């Protein structure tokens, strides 16, 4: 127990990049996103996609935003 406690103090699980990536991937869902130009994207992580394309996830989840359309797969 002491070793585990010491390890978590020096390297907490949520600060570990591998653990953070696993957690984000496990919570991610599949989506179908259509751009204003008509390109269709089949994605797994909407938050990551929105960051990469400078979109607002909260608005996009509601259905559409600035011509982008989003459907939960």
């Amino acid at each position: 127990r002491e070793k585990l406690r010491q390890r978590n103090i020096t390297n907490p699980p949520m600060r570990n990049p591998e653990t953070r990536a696993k957690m984000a991937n496990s919570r991610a869902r599949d989506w179908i996103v259509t751009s204003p130009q008509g390109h269709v994207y089949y994605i797994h992580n909407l938050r990551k996609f929105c960051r990469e394309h400078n979109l607002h996830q909260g608005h996009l989840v509601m259905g559409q935003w600035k011509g982008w359309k989003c459907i939960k797969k």
Side-chain angles (χ1 to χ4, degrees):
R1 279 188 173 180
E2 185 62 29
K3 287 182 182 180
L4 180 62
R5 192 173 138 259
Q6 284 296 338
R7 185 184 68 164
N8 285 341
I9 289 172
T10 58
N11 189 15
M14 289 308 292
R15 290 193 183 164
N16 184 341
E18 291 176 17
T19 303
R20 289 180 65 99
K22 287 179 186 176
M23 293 282 289
N25 197 29
S26 70
R27 293 179 181 163
R29 301 288 176 248
D30 293 326
W31 298 86
I32 301 171
V33 180
T34 307
S35 72
Q37 294 81 20
H39 297 107
V40 178
Y41 299 91
Y42 297 94
I43 61 170
H44 179 66
N45 188 337
L46 186 62
R47 178 175 281 180
K48 182 179 175 184
F49 179 84
C50 288
R51 269 186 265 137
E52 291 171 355
H53 291 86
N54 197 24
L55 300 170
H56 192 279
Q57 178 192 0
H59 293 300
L60 197 56
V61 164
M62 299 303 284
Q64 75 176 36
W65 186 64
K66 291 189 175 183
W68 289 82
K69 295 179 185 175
C70 182
I71 302 170
K72 197 178 218 180
K73 194 172 176 185

